[in-house]
Amino acid sequence: MTETSMRLPAALAILAATALPAAAQTEPGDPLAGRRLAETWCANCHQLAPGMRGPASDAAAPLQAIAQMPSTTSMSLRVFLQTPHANMPDYRLTREQLDDVVAYILSLRR
């Protein structure tokens, strides 16, 4: 094995280790703006945060419970929120609004 071929795996490992934290820091969206959107659009059906009064019905899960689900990721929330569902209004969110709502829901993880 040459010195050059031995350096490649080390360089890739360093690149991967430095890229992951950078990717985590660049998640788009403003959680505060997302909370304001949720107060307008989601509060009729979902409890928005722990300790807040929820809707009259418990038909929809609290947003924190959704955030805690192991399957909840930024991608899964984006897909869900952009797919019409029988029990959920078909909101037409802009990309920025979607980023904000996703950031808010993910901020509810403990």
Side-chain angles (χ1 to χ4, degrees):
M1 207 175 216
T2 68
E3 187 176 332
T4 303
S5 65
M6 292 173 55
R7 287 184 192 169
L8 182 59
L12 290 175
I14 291 169
L15 180 62
T18 58
L20 291 177
Q25 294 172 359
T26 60
E27 182 68 34
D30 176 359
L32 293 176
R35 181 179 176 136
R36 288 190 297 274
L37 289 167
E39 288 170 349
T40 300
W41 294 338
C42 307
N44 291 332
C45 300
H46 295 274
Q47 180 186 27
L48 298 183
M52 291 183 72
R53 267 178 69 190
S57 167
D58 63 353
L63 294 184
Q64 184 180 32
I66 294 168
Q68 298 294 351
M69 294 169 54
S71 61
T72 298
T73 64
S74 176
M75 178 70 73
S76 70
L77 287 170
R78 289 170 193 287
V79 169
F80 183 84
L81 291 170
Q82 293 178 10
T83 305
H85 294 85
N87 296 331
M88 191 171 133
D90 185 15
Y91 294 118
R92 302 285 180 183
L93 300 172
T94 66
R95 184 181 190 118
E96 183 178 350
Q97 290 169 328
L98 182 62
D99 290 345
D100 293 345
V101 170
V102 167
Y104 174 63
I105 293 171
L106 293 177
S107 77
L108 296 173
R109 288 190 168 156
R110 291 185 188 154

